[in-house]
Amino acid sequence: MVSLFKRFHISNAEELQPDRQALYALMLALCLAISPHLMRLPVWFAALAFIVFLWRYLIINRKAHQPGPVLRFLGVITLIYMLHKHYGTLLGRDAGVAMLIALTMLKFLELKTLRDYMLVVFLCMFIILTSFLYSQALWLGIYLFAVVIVLFSVMMYLNHGSRDHLLAMLKRSASMLMLGLPVAALLFVLFPRLQGGLFGLPGDSHSGLTGMSDTMKPGTINELNLSEKVAFRVDFSSPVPVANQRYWRGLVLEEYDHGLWKERRFKKTAVSELKYSLKDVVEYTVLQEASNKKWVFALDMPVLKPDNLEWGPGRSLRAARGLRERLQQSLKSVSQYYYEDISDDTLAKNLDVSSVSGERVISLAGELYRQSGSDKNYISTILAYYRNNAFFYSLQPPMLDEHPVEDFMLNTRKGYCEHYASSFTMMMRLAGIPARVIVGYQGGEWNEQGDYMIVRQSDAHAWSEVWLDEEGWVRVDPTAAVAPERIEYGLDAIRQLVAEGKEPGSLSDEKIKIMLQMSLLANTLKGVTMFWDGVNTRWYKWVIGFGKENQSFLLKWLGFQQANWRDMVILLVILMSIVVSLQALLLFHRRKIFDPAIVQYQKFCNRLQGIGIVKFKHEGPRAFADRIIKLRPDLKTPVSLVTNTFIELRYAGNTGTFQQRKLAQAVRSFHPKRNR
Amino acid sequence: MNTRFNEIRDFLNQIVLGKEKQIELCLCCILAKGHLLIEDLPGMGKTLLAHALAKVLGLEFSRIQFTSDMLPADITGVSVFEASNNSFHFHKGPIFSSVVLADEINRASPKAQSALLEAMEERQVSVDGKTYPLPFPFFVIATQNPLEQTGTFPLPESQLDRFFMRISIGYPDREAERKLLENEERRLVLEKMASIVTEKEIVAWQQEVKRIKTEPALLDYVQDLIQQSRDSGEFGNGISPRAGLDLINAGRAWALLNDRKYVIPEDIQAVLPSAIGHRLTMIQDQDGQVNIGVNPAQRLLEITPV
C-alpha cells in the first residue's frame, strides 16, 4: 500500500512544506468544521484542543520537537481509553464522531508535508458531513456550505501557494462550488434512490425525541402541555376545518386501571366500519416530526388507511415502527360519520368500571342519571354539572388522592383536559354508557406565509367518545364546557387569562379577542417566526424529505411513466452533459465579455470624457494615452499608469488579482480637472 | 535585444534617408519571414533599400532584373548538357540566394512572374522533375512601378496576396533631400559598410516572433477587423485567412521590434496598411467606379472599434 502511494504520488508533494499561514488557515477551518459538534463533545476536548494547538505553536515559534512515535502511540491509546470511558463504547454515532474529531486534532502534531495538510482538509470535509447525522436543519446546511468554501480556499492556498487576497480566494472557491451546484442538484433529483430519507442514521441517534406518552394518568403534571415544539404540520388540499373541529386523533385509551388510562390490546382485524358521505371527506398531508413513537395523528375521523400505516384500537393510525425521522403522509378524514356496529368485546371494555373507587361518586352518577332519564340528557347533565359547580381549568392542578375520579369531581375541581376527559368518561361508564378517552391534539395555528397549519406539543389534548345506540361513537369534549377558550383560541389564551388573574370561562368572546390582539412588535416577530418556519418546512418537504415517492412523482410529471433504473441513469447522463456544456459555454462567453479590466478602463475613459477628451472607438489604449499626454502633459503619470496596467491585464495575459487591484486603485485615484 | 535592432535601424537610416517607418516595416517583414513588395516610381531608392537590407543582414544577395522577354528558366536556372561526363547538370538560377531582389517585377510576362511567385510560396524550385530547396532564410524583395506606367503587366490579386507586405517609399522630405544632395552617393557608402547581423541571429529572432503572446482580447480585435472587411459592404474582397494570419504575424514582429512580449492593438494598426493594403479594395459603386480618394486600409481601421 505504501509503495503504491509512493508510486502515484507527485514527487515534490513529499518535500513541499506549507508555510505558517497555511497552518493557521487549517486550524481555523478545523475549528469551523467542529463548531456544530461543540455542545455534544466531552468537556475535556477543550483541554485536548488547547494542548494540541499550544504544542503546535511551540513547534513553529519556539522550535519545539514534534512528538515521536512512542509519544504519539501513547497519546492515541490514552485518547481511546478516555473516549471509551466517556461513551461506554467506541462504536455508534456519538463516540465515532468524537473519535474522528480527536484524531484529526492529534494529526496537527505531525503535520509536516503537503500531503499531511491535504489529509487534514479531507478529514475536515468528513467531519462536516457527520454534522448531518445530528441535524438536517437549513441553517446548518448553509453554515456548513460556508465552511466548505473556507476549506476549498485552504486547498487552493496549499496547492498554488496563492498569495491572493483572502476575500478573492473565498470568492473564487465559492464560485467553484456554485459551478458544482447544478450537477449536484441533478444528481440529487435524479439519482436512483432507496426508500427512506437522505441520511440513514446509526441506532443511537434517536435519543431525546419527545412524543406523546401511550398512557394517561390525571394528577401528574403533564410537561407536554407547556412545550412550544412543533408536533406536526398539515397541508390541506380541501378547505381547512374551523377551530373547534380541529381534533387530531392519536390514541384511543379504553382500559382503566386505578386512575391509569391505557390502550387496549388490539387484534388487527377488528376495525369497525364507518358510514360517511363523500362530500365530507377532507384531504390533507401531515408532516410529522420524529417522535420515536408509532402514533400518527389524523384529523378526527380518519378514513381510507394508507398502505404503509396500520389501524390501532378505536380507528387510531400508527406506523409500523417508531418515527425516527419525519413522516410525510397523505391522509383522508371525515367530519360527519356514523359507526354502524360495536363488538361485544369493545362494549364490555368500554363499560368496565371495576377499578373505580369512591362510594360518593358512584352514587352521584346514579343520582344524575336518574334525573336525566336518557343517555343524551345525561351527557348534558354532566357537562352542566361541570359548568355549574365551580370547576376551573388550571395548568397547575392539585394532586389527586387514591380515588382520583371522586376527588376531582367532588373536591379539587381544578384541572386540565386530562382530568375532565378522564372524569367525564368514568361518569359515563358509571351510568352504563360506553365511553373512552381519546388522546391527541386539538387546535393548530395557521401559517399565512406557507399556507399550512402548525400543531405544537402545547396543543396536546384529551377528550371523550361516547357510544350512543342511535349515533354510534360521538365525540364529547368536557374541557369545552369549562374552558371554551382552550378549544377556540388554544392554550395561549388560557395562559394569558391566568396571567391577568382571570378565570377561564369568565370572559365573553369579544373581550377575549381584544385581549388576544397583539402589539405591532409581537405581530412582526410572529410574522418572522412564521416565515422562517415556512422556509424550513419547504426545506424538509422538498430537500430532506425528497425520497423515492417524490422522485417517481417528478419523473411521471416529466413523462416517464415507468421509470426504471436504466432510464434514470440515461436521463441523468444526458442532462448532466447538457448542464456541463452550458456551463462551459457560459464560462468562455463570460471570459470574453465580463473582463473586469474593461469595466475599470471604461471608468477611466468616462472621467476623461468629463474633461473633454474623448476616446475614438477605433483608437487603441496606447495611442489614446499618447494623444492625452500630448494634450495634457500634466496627466502623464496617472494616464501612463492606468494605460500600462490595463494593457498588461488585457493584452499581456498578466491577469493576477494584484494587477486588477492595481488598475482599480489607479482608476479610483484618477480625477482629472479641466484645464483653464 | 533592442540595442541590436537600434544598430540595424541606424545602419539603414544612414543609407535610406528619412524613411524610418518604411525601414521598420522592412525589418518587421524579415522577422515574420514574409516577402516584401516595394511599389514606387523609378529612382526613389527601391533598389538601394533592398541592397541595404541584404547587406545589413549579411545575407547572400542576388538581383533579377525583370524584363518583358524573360523566361522562367532565367529565374530558376536551367539544366545544361555537359559533354565531359555525358549528363545534364543543373545550373542554379539567381533565385538560389537568401535575399533576392526582383526588380520591376511587373515588367515581366505573367509566365515569368508566376515562376518567381511559386518559388516564394513553396520555398523550393522544381526543374526537370527534380526539386531543389531554396536557402534558409529566404527573402524576396520585389519592386514594381505604379501600374499606370506603360509597359507593365499588373500582378493579379492572387499573386499580390502572396506578398506579406507592400510598402511605398515616397519622396524624401526637404531635410533628407538636402543631405542626399550634399553628401557622397549612398551606394558608395553602403559598399564601405560591414554587415552587422549574423544569419543565426535572424533565425533566433524569427523563432522569438513565434513566442510573442496574442491574448484573446487581441485576437478578438483582429477577428473584428477581418469580419468588418468581409461584412461591412464597403470593400471589394474581404481579408483572406492567409492575410489574417499574416496580419497577426506582422503584429507579433512589430511587438518584438518594440521590445514587447505581447501584441497590442496599436501593433496591428501600425502594420495593417502595409500588410493588408495590397489585398483590400473599396467596392465599386453603381457606375463601376472606385472611390480612389479613400485608403481602404485606413477606412477599415476607422470603422472597427478596438
Side-chain angles (χ1 to χ4, degrees):
Chain A
M1 192 64 196
V2 173
S3 67
L4 195 74
F5 250 111
K6 281 214 169 115
R7 197 181 312 157
F8 287 109
H9 212 80
I10 310 155
S11 61
N12 65 354
E14 292 281 354
E15 297 117 41
L16 258 177
Q17 297 195 4
D19 60 6
R20 218 174 278 186
Q21 259 81 16
L23 185 74
Y24 293 149
L26 201 56
M27 281 183 183
L28 175 75
L30 179 67
C31 291
L32 290 175
I34 291 176
S35 58
H37 290 295
L38 270 189
M39 302 312 286
R40 290 185 284 263
L41 293 173
V43 182
W44 51 265
F45 260 63
L48 176 67
F50 181 74
I51 292 171
V52 166
F53 286 162
L54 180 71
W55 196 329
R56 190 68 218 189
Y57 177 81
L58 292 179
I59 292 173
I60 316 168
N61 291 319
R62 297 276 184 279
K63 302 257 179 280
H65 288 290
Q66 292 197 330
V70 178
L71 202 54
R72 287 201 303 241
F73 182 73
L74 284 178
V76 171
I77 293 294
T78 317
L79 193 80
I80 289 174
Y81 170 74
M82 297 276 279
L83 283 171
H84 192 270
K85 206 176 149 203
H86 187 270
Y87 290 102
T89 173
L90 289 177
L91 302 174
R93 180 186 60 166
D94 294 339
V97 170
M99 176 107 112
L100 177 67
I101 292 173
L103 290 179
T104 308
M105 284 203 281
L106 281 192
K107 184 79 192 163
F108 264 84
L109 290 182
E110 49 171 16
L111 280 184
K112 214 169 196 174
T113 63
L114 179 61
R115 207 181 112 189
D116 299 332
Y117 279 71
M118 291 308 267
L119 188 69
V120 174
V121 170
F122 293 131
L123 284 171
C124 284
M125 296 276 186
F126 198 71
I127 291 173
I128 284 176
L129 217 65
T130 58
S131 284
F132 290 117
L133 296 179
Y134 293 90
S135 161
Q136 293 124 48
L138 180 57
W139 70 266
L140 184 71
I142 295 170
Y143 170 77
L144 291 176
F145 192 78
V147 179
V148 172
I149 292 177
V150 173
L151 276 172
F152 264 45
S153 303
V154 174
M155 266 210 268
M156 254 167 14
Y157 186 87
L158 288 173
N159 277 326
H160 296 292
S162 150
R163 294 293 174 275
D164 267 0
H165 200 252
L166 177 69
L167 264 181
M169 263 163 54
L170 289 175
K171 222 166 116 185
R172 187 131 37 104
S173 44
S175 64
M176 273 162 72
L177 263 180
M178 290 297 171
L179 270 181
L181 273 190
V183 173
L186 266 181
L187 281 171
F188 174 77
V189 172
L190 287 178
F191 197 81
R193 55 184 66 210
L194 307 168
Q195 193 82 45
L198 190 56
F199 290 91
L201 301 184
D204 60 346
S205 55
H206 306 288
S207 47
L209 295 171
T210 53
M212 194 160 271
S213 155
D214 60 346
T215 59
M216 180 180 106
K217 190 172 188 183
T220 50
I221 288 180
N222 196 336
E223 196 194 309
L224 275 184
N225 250 349
L226 299 168
S227 159
E228 283 298 314
K229 263 191 173 170
V230 173
F232 53 90
R233 297 179 176 81
V234 194
D235 232 340
F236 285 96
S237 19
S238 336
V240 183
V242 294
N244 61 19
Q245 288 296 322
R246 293 173 194 162
Y247 281 87
W248 304 96
R249 193 184 188 87
L251 291 90
V252 177
L253 308 181
E254 289 170 304
E255 251 170 51
Y256 184 74
D257 182 11
H258 297 94
L260 175 78
W261 285 98
K262 58 184 179 192
E263 273 192 316
R264 167 156 66 120
R265 231 182 263 142
F266 182 67
K267 292 187 230 65
K268 279 196 176 157
T269 47
V271 174
S272 44
E273 285 303 312
L274 204 62
K275 253 193 178 173
Y276 60 93
S277 120
L278 278 177
K279 71 175 167 46
D280 292 329
V281 172
V282 181
E283 289 183 47
Y284 55 96
T285 306
V286 169
L287 177 66
Q288 195 173 325
E289 299 291 305
S291 62
N292 229 353
K293 300 283 193 312
K294 293 177 179 180
W295 340 130
V296 174
F297 296 91
L299 196 64
D300 214 14
M301 174 63 80
V303 289
L304 299 174
K305 173 185 79 71
D307 290 341
N308 53 331
L309 298 183
E310 302 292 341
W311 283 121
R315 290 187 85 86
S316 56
L317 283 172
R318 56 208 45 198
R321 253 170 282 120
L323 298 176
R324 293 174 154 196
E325 281 142 39
R326 283 170 198 242
L327 172 81
Q328 195 167 332
Q329 186 67 56
S330 301
L331 292 171
K332 282 178 187 159
S333 293
V334 286
S335 48
Q336 302 287 325
Y337 50 87
Y338 172 62
Y339 273 92
E340 283 191 310
D341 199 12
I342 186 166
S343 67
D344 292 344
D345 182 32
T346 310
L347 206 57
K349 255 303 173 244
N350 284 290
L351 281 169
D352 176 30
V353 287
S354 56
S355 72
V356 181
S357 52
E359 290 304 318
R360 287 163 62 208
V361 78
I362 294 170
S363 61
L364 174 71
E367 176 75 13
L368 290 173
Y369 189 73
R370 257 193 308 284
Q371 285 172 15
S372 315
S374 76
D375 289 1
K376 265 191 145 168
N377 285 347
Y378 178 65
I379 295 172
S380 318
T381 308
I382 295 295
L383 291 178
Y385 181 83
Y386 286 126
R387 261 196 302 275
N388 303 331
N389 287 289
F391 278 86
F392 290 119
Y393 188 92
S394 167
L395 288 173
Q396 287 94 28
M399 302 297 272
L400 299 174
D401 65 12
E402 67 270 25
H403 313 300
V405 178
E406 185 182 81
D407 196 25
F408 180 71
M409 289 302 282
L410 298 169
N411 299 329
T412 68
R413 294 184 174 175
K414 269 190 176 177
Y416 47 89
C417 54
E418 291 188 356
H419 300 79
Y420 290 102
S422 170
S423 60
F424 179 82
T425 308
M426 277 336 289
M427 289 305 279
M428 289 298 124
R429 286 191 184 181
L430 285 171
I433 305 172
R436 58 195 184 186
V437 171
I438 317 294
V439 178
Y441 294 87
Q442 196 282 323
E445 187 176 17
W446 188 250
N447 186 346
E448 301 279 349
Q449 309 285 340
D451 277 344
Y452 60 88
M453 186 176 283
I454 304 176
V455 178
R456 299 175 191 280
Q457 297 292 3
S458 60
D459 292 322
H461 193 53
W463 61 93
S464 300
E465 264 182 356
V466 180
W467 177 267
L468 297 175
D469 286 335
E470 328 70 82
E471 297 175 38
W473 286 111
V474 174
R475 182 176 69 219
V476 180
D477 189 352
T479 312
V482 180
E485 301 92 341
R486 166 67 187 83
I487 309 307
E488 291 286 343
Y489 303 108
L491 196 64
D492 271 351
I494 301 279
R495 277 189 197 153
Q496 214 157 331
L497 276 172
V498 171
E500 294 185 9
K502 299 191 176 78
E503 292 292 350
S506 65
L507 285 181
S508 68
D509 256 17
E510 286 76 38
K511 282 194 176 152
I512 291 170
K513 273 183 188 151
I514 292 168
M515 181 191 80
L516 285 177
Q517 267 174 6
M518 284 185 291
S519 67
L520 188 66
L521 178 71
N523 237 335
T524 318
L525 263 178
K526 183 116 191 157
V528 172
T529 330
M530 283 299 176
F531 175 76
W532 182 238
D533 194 89
V535 171
N536 255 320
T537 303
R538 283 194 201 104
W539 165 254
Y540 279 106
K541 197 169 163 185
W542 294 111
V543 182
I544 302 296
F546 187 88
K548 202 174 180 178
E549 276 173 45
N550 307 50
Q551 193 175 42
S552 55
F553 178 79
L554 185 81
L555 284 169
K556 264 189 197 131
W557 183 75
L558 285 173
F560 292 85
Q561 281 309 322
Q562 286 284 309
N564 61 22
W565 220 88
R566 202 191 302 164
D567 288 346
M568 274 159 79
V569 170
I570 291 171
L571 184 67
L572 195 61
V573 168
I574 293 172
L575 285 177
M576 288 225 304
S577 2
I578 293 174
V579 165
V580 171
S581 353
L582 278 180
Q583 282 181 334
L585 264 178
L586 201 76
L587 277 183
F588 286 129
H589 190 62
R590 195 167 63 175
R591 190 193 156 103
K592 200 166 153 188
I593 292 176
F594 301 110
D595 188 344
I598 291 271
V599 178
Q600 293 296 339
Y601 191 70
Q602 194 56 49
K603 271 191 211 163
F604 166 76
C605 292
N606 290 345
R607 296 217 174 123
L608 282 164
Q609 200 162 2
I611 61 162
I613 302 174
V614 184
K615 180 178 174 288
F616 300 129
K617 274 224 156 74
H618 63 268
E619 203 169 24
R622 172 81 28 99
F624 182 47
D626 290 345
R627 197 159 60 85
I628 300 165
I629 292 165
K630 210 177 260 175
L631 286 166
R632 293 284 302 271
D634 57 309
L635 293 178
K636 184 172 179 190
T637 326
V639 167
S640 306
L641 178 65
V642 171
T643 306
N644 291 340
T645 320
F646 172 67
I647 287 174
E648 285 257 299
L649 272 168
R650 192 149 164 79
Y651 297 109
N654 195 353
T655 52
T657 326
F658 174 72
Q659 284 284 335
Q660 295 280 11
R661 273 191 299 152
K662 188 174 159 195
L663 178 63
Q665 203 168 0
V667 171
R668 218 179 302 130
S669 56
F670 180 67
H671 293 288
K673 301 226 164 38
R674 218 173 252 278
N675 240 353
R676 296 192 183 273
Chain B
M1 186 179 293
N2 212 14
T3 54
R4 291 295 283 157
F5 289 144
N6 280 337
E7 281 175 44
I8 301 171
R9 287 186 190 115
D10 289 346
F11 181 103
L12 291 170
N13 282 325
Q14 277 178 31
I15 308 299
V16 184
L17 298 170
K19 295 291 166 203
E20 286 85 1
K21 171 96 195 222
Q22 281 80 352
I23 286 167
E24 196 78 6
L25 285 168
C26 290
L27 291 176
C28 174
C29 212
I30 293 164
L31 293 186
K33 292 199 223 170
H35 304 296
L36 179 66
L37 177 65
I38 306 176
E39 180 184 276
D40 222 320
L41 296 166
M44 301 293 275
K46 300 188 290 277
T47 318
L48 182 67
L49 177 60
H51 259 295
L53 278 173
K55 180 94 184 189
V56 76
L57 300 178
L59 296 174
E60 190 191 344
F61 175 79
S62 68
R63 172 182 171 156
I64 314 168
Q65 180 64 49
F66 279 54
T67 58
S68 54
D69 56 353
M70 199 171 198
L71 292 173
D74 295 334
I75 299 168
T76 56
V78 68
S79 292
V80 178
F81 184 76
E82 284 185 1
S84 56
N85 49 13
N86 212 8
S87 67
F88 281 96
H89 181 77
F90 181 65
H91 287 261
K92 287 180 177 178
I95 197 151
F96 287 89
S97 187
S98 278
V99 179
V100 177
L101 172 61
D103 223 354
E104 303 192 45
I105 186 172
N106 57 346
R107 287 204 178 282
S109 63
K111 195 175 178 182
Q113 284 173 4
S114 63
L116 173 74
L117 292 163
E118 273 167 39
M120 279 164 59
E121 183 70 14
E122 274 132 45
R123 292 174 192 268
Q124 63 185 26
V125 170
S126 296
V127 177
D128 297 339
K130 260 185 146 180
T131 301
Y132 304 94
L134 291 170
F136 183 83
F138 176 68
F139 180 49
V140 172
I141 306 172
T143 71
Q144 72 170 354
N145 295 324
L147 300 177
E148 303 91 66
Q149 295 219 329
T150 51
T152 57
F153 296 92
L155 290 173
E157 272 101 351
S158 62
Q159 308 237 347
L160 273 178
D161 197 44
R162 291 189 187 161
F163 282 100
F164 184 76
M165 271 190 185
R166 180 184 68 177
I167 61 171
S168 60
I169 295 177
Y171 295 113
D173 57 20
R174 201 173 169 82
E175 192 189 348
E177 185 100 53
R178 184 58 165 262
K179 263 193 198 163
L180 204 65
L181 297 173
E182 273 174 2
N183 297 338
E184 180 177 16
E185 206 187 328
R186 297 290 109 187
R187 208 171 291 271
L188 298 176
V189 178
L190 179 61
E191 265 162 33
K192 277 189 239 162
M193 293 178 86
S195 64
I196 49 178
V197 186
T198 62
E199 208 175 294
K200 241 185 179 169
E201 254 179 316
I202 296 173
V203 174
W205 286 333
Q206 288 175 341
Q207 293 299 322
E208 186 78 24
V209 167
K210 285 182 190 159
R211 286 197 291 272
I212 299 287
K213 264 198 266 185
T214 47
E215 282 294 296
L218 190 273
L219 295 177
D220 283 344
Y221 175 58
V222 171
Q223 282 197 297
D224 288 347
L225 283 168
I226 295 172
Q227 201 69 33
Q228 236 359 308
S229 77
R230 293 173 189 167
D231 297 345
S232 69
E234 295 195 33
F235 306 101
N237 294 309
I239 296 174
S240 69
R242 174 164 54 195
L245 210 56
D246 284 355
L247 183 60
I248 286 275
N249 282 330
R252 284 200 172 110
W254 194 265
L256 180 67
L257 283 169
N258 285 289
D259 210 18
R260 226 181 308 103
K261 297 259 181 270
Y262 51 89
V263 186
I264 61 173
E266 280 84 344
D267 297 329
I268 300 292
Q269 292 179 343
V271 296
L272 186 128
S274 309
I276 300 297
H278 56 295
R279 325 191 209 207
L280 200 62
T281 51
M282 297 304 287
I283 200 163
Q284 295 177 348
D285 62 18
Q286 284 152 337
D287 310 326
Q289 295 294 307
V290 174
N291 186 354
I292 41 175
V294 180
N295 181 338
Q298 282 305 333
R299 176 71 193 149
L300 176 61
L301 285 178
E302 275 164 26
I303 62 172
T304 312
V306 175

